[in-house]
Amino acid sequence: MAKLDIVGTVTESYKGAWSHFGDMVKLVWAPVVVYIAANILHSLSVQSITEEIDPSDMEAMFQASGGWQAAAVTLLGLFLWPIIAVAWHRFILLGETSSSALYFKFGRREARFLLTSIFLSLLVVPGVLVMIVGAGTALSVFAVPVGLVLMVAGLAYALRLSLLLPAVATDAAVDARAILEATQDNVLRIFGAHILNILALLAIAIVVSILIGIVALVMGPVIGIIGGAVLGVFAQIISVAILSVMYRDLVLSGQSAVSPPDIQVH
């Protein structure tokens, strides 16, 4: 069984995003612009509301930052993310691009991708519920550790089954059992690749935040909002690349009947 190359997977994903930056921009610029515009409008709305609130009143500040505007931005993000992720998965694994200057497509494939993503996020819910429900009872001494174990197990299965997402995006067979078999000896390596990616993103975020802070002093706080949104989208696109590389190396490479596409992200 194939062994995942932790450093190679993350490095290839970043190199691919850099070398194919033009293709990436062409594929995702429209949904990204919509997402950034929504974040700017939401941030400006929250800023106007919180101007009359005492900064020390944390509860009032939290309520002001929520509301229907925050819910609308979240729902919009759930709608836009499959458009971005599916396009990038298909470029990496199939070499598919778009001849259109405006790529903005949400169809059956994107809907399946969204539903699969929601399913994966629900795998940690049982552990969370056990901890919340049992925390205020006499069984809290048992509920907390049991809930924590369930959360870790749910997270482990979610990370392994996340390789279903590239399959959905590329219209390949969606076989959860095959995914689990392909990843059973690579659980720690999958964790390691994601942790390494998080560390790399933290380093990038620190540098970018410093640069954005300097530019914002001249051009205003809107630059900070745009920079934060772009950084968030970049982090998600890198995660897509990592899943694509994992899927190619662990799943496609093990399918003797199907030859894995000769597409590299670097």
Side-chain angles (χ1 to χ4, degrees), residues 172-173 247-248 251-261:
Y247 178 72
R248 183 199 66 198
V251 180
L252 294 182
S253 64
Q255 295 176 351
S256 57
V258 180
S259 178

mmCIF file of all heavy atoms in Angstrom, residues 172-173 247-248 251-261:
data_model
loop_
_atom_site.group_PDB
_atom_site.id
_atom_site.type_symbol
_atom_site.label_atom_id
_atom_site.label_comp_id
_atom_site.label_asym_id
_atom_site.label_seq_id
_atom_site.Cartn_x
_atom_site.Cartn_y
_atom_site.Cartn_z
ATOM 1 N N ALA A 172 -15.830 10.703 -10.345
ATOM 2 C CA ALA A 172 -15.326 9.342 -10.189
ATOM 3 C C ALA A 172 -16.263 8.564 -9.259
ATOM 4 O O ALA A 172 -17.192 9.116 -8.678
ATOM 5 C CB ALA A 172 -13.907 9.373 -9.619
ATOM 6 N N ALA A 173 -15.992 7.277 -9.128
ATOM 7 C CA ALA A 173 -16.806 6.442 -8.249
ATOM 8 C C ALA A 173 -16.642 6.911 -6.803
ATOM 9 O O ALA A 173 -15.525 7.090 -6.326
ATOM 10 C CB ALA A 173 -16.376 4.988 -8.384
ATOM 11 N N TYR A 247 -5.499 12.131 -2.916
ATOM 12 C CA TYR A 247 -6.398 11.259 -3.671
ATOM 13 C C TYR A 247 -5.656 10.581 -4.827
ATOM 14 O O TYR A 247 -5.823 9.380 -5.066
ATOM 15 C CB TYR A 247 -7.561 12.099 -4.205
ATOM 16 C CG TYR A 247 -8.553 11.336 -5.050
ATOM 17 C CD1 TYR A 247 -9.432 10.423 -4.471
ATOM 18 C CD2 TYR A 247 -8.628 11.547 -6.432
ATOM 19 C CE1 TYR A 247 -10.357 9.731 -5.251
ATOM 20 C CE2 TYR A 247 -9.547 10.860 -7.206
ATOM 21 C CZ TYR A 247 -10.412 9.962 -6.616
ATOM 22 O OH TYR A 247 -11.319 9.279 -7.388
ATOM 23 N N ARG A 248 -4.829 11.347 -5.519
ATOM 24 C CA ARG A 248 -4.056 10.785 -6.626
ATOM 25 C C ARG A 248 -3.073 9.725 -6.142
ATOM 26 O O ARG A 248 -2.973 8.639 -6.727
ATOM 27 C CB ARG A 248 -3.293 11.905 -7.336
ATOM 28 C CG ARG A 248 -2.486 11.483 -8.554
ATOM 29 C CD ARG A 248 -1.446 12.533 -8.876
ATOM 30 N NE ARG A 248 -0.452 12.634 -7.821
ATOM 31 C CZ ARG A 248 0.371 13.671 -7.651
ATOM 32 N NH1 ARG A 248 0.275 14.711 -8.456
ATOM 33 N NH2 ARG A 248 1.259 13.664 -6.682
ATOM 34 N N VAL A 251 -5.345 6.826 -3.645
ATOM 35 C CA VAL A 251 -6.516 6.137 -4.202
ATOM 36 C C VAL A 251 -6.300 5.763 -5.664
ATOM 37 O O VAL A 251 -6.370 4.587 -6.031
ATOM 38 C CB VAL A 251 -7.786 7.007 -4.056
ATOM 39 C CG1 VAL A 251 -8.997 6.279 -4.638
ATOM 40 C CG2 VAL A 251 -8.030 7.338 -2.584
ATOM 41 N N LEU A 252 -6.028 6.762 -6.505
ATOM 42 C CA LEU A 252 -5.880 6.479 -7.936
ATOM 43 C C LEU A 252 -4.697 5.572 -8.228
ATOM 44 O O LEU A 252 -4.764 4.724 -9.110
ATOM 45 C CB LEU A 252 -5.741 7.796 -8.712
ATOM 46 C CG LEU A 252 -6.962 8.720 -8.714
ATOM 47 C CD1 LEU A 252 -6.695 9.954 -9.560
ATOM 48 C CD2 LEU A 252 -8.198 7.997 -9.207
ATOM 49 N N SER A 253 -3.617 5.769 -7.475
ATOM 50 C CA SER A 253 -2.428 4.942 -7.725
ATOM 51 C C SER A 253 -2.660 3.479 -7.355
ATOM 52 O O SER A 253 -1.950 2.597 -7.839
ATOM 53 C CB SER A 253 -1.237 5.487 -6.922
ATOM 54 O OG SER A 253 -1.479 5.381 -5.528
ATOM 55 N N GLY A 254 -3.647 3.227 -6.503
ATOM 56 C CA GLY A 254 -3.929 1.859 -6.081
ATOM 57 C C GLY A 254 -4.997 1.174 -6.911
ATOM 58 O O GLY A 254 -5.323 0.009 -6.673
ATOM 59 N N GLN A 255 -5.571 1.879 -7.856
ATOM 60 C CA GLN A 255 -6.606 1.291 -8.701
ATOM 61 C C GLN A 255 -5.963 0.704 -9.953
ATOM 62 O O GLN A 255 -5.620 1.413 -10.895
ATOM 63 C CB GLN A 255 -7.651 2.350 -9.078
ATOM 64 C CG GLN A 255 -8.433 2.869 -7.873
ATOM 65 C CD GLN A 255 -9.395 3.976 -8.239
ATOM 66 O OE1 GLN A 255 -9.373 4.491 -9.354
ATOM 67 N NE2 GLN A 255 -10.241 4.354 -7.296
ATOM 68 N N SER A 256 -5.796 -0.584 -9.969
ATOM 69 C CA SER A 256 -5.095 -1.241 -11.078
ATOM 70 C C SER A 256 -5.882 -1.162 -12.383
ATOM 71 O O SER A 256 -5.308 -1.152 -13.473
ATOM 72 C CB SER A 256 -4.836 -2.712 -10.734
ATOM 73 O OG SER A 256 -6.057 -3.385 -10.434
ATOM 74 N N ALA A 257 -7.201 -1.070 -12.259
ATOM 75 C CA ALA A 257 -8.017 -1.066 -13.468
ATOM 76 C C ALA A 257 -8.107 0.308 -14.107
ATOM 77 O O ALA A 257 -8.502 0.441 -15.260
ATOM 78 C CB ALA A 257 -9.429 -1.556 -13.142
ATOM 79 N N VAL A 258 -7.750 1.338 -13.337
ATOM 80 C CA VAL A 258 -7.843 2.703 -13.846
ATOM 81 C C VAL A 258 -6.488 3.353 -13.730
ATOM 82 O O VAL A 258 -5.914 3.425 -12.647
ATOM 83 C CB VAL A 258 -8.875 3.535 -13.044
ATOM 84 C CG1 VAL A 258 -8.946 4.951 -13.592
ATOM 85 C CG2 VAL A 258 -10.229 2.867 -13.099
ATOM 86 N N SER A 259 -5.967 3.838 -14.805
ATOM 87 C CA SER A 259 -4.668 4.496 -14.805
ATOM 88 C C SER A 259 -4.829 5.920 -14.305
ATOM 89 O O SER A 259 -5.627 6.686 -14.846
ATOM 90 C CB SER A 259 -4.082 4.527 -16.211
ATOM 91 O OG SER A 259 -2.847 5.213 -16.220
ATOM 92 N N PRO A 260 -4.095 6.325 -13.237
ATOM 93 C CA PRO A 260 -4.240 7.677 -12.723
ATOM 94 C C PRO A 260 -3.812 8.726 -13.728
ATOM 95 O O PRO A 260 -2.875 8.506 -14.485
ATOM 96 C CB PRO A 260 -3.308 7.681 -11.497
ATOM 97 C CG PRO A 260 -2.361 6.572 -11.713
ATOM 98 C CD PRO A 260 -3.095 5.536 -12.509
ATOM 99 N N PRO A 261 -4.528 9.842 -13.790
ATOM 100 C CA PRO A 261 -4.202 10.900 -14.753
ATOM 101 C C PRO A 261 -2.786 11.412 -14.555
ATOM 102 O O PRO A 261 -2.315 11.550 -13.426
ATOM 103 C CB PRO A 261 -5.229 11.998 -14.422
ATOM 104 C CG PRO A 261 -6.310 11.319 -13.650
ATOM 105 C CD PRO A 261 -5.656 10.202 -12.935
#
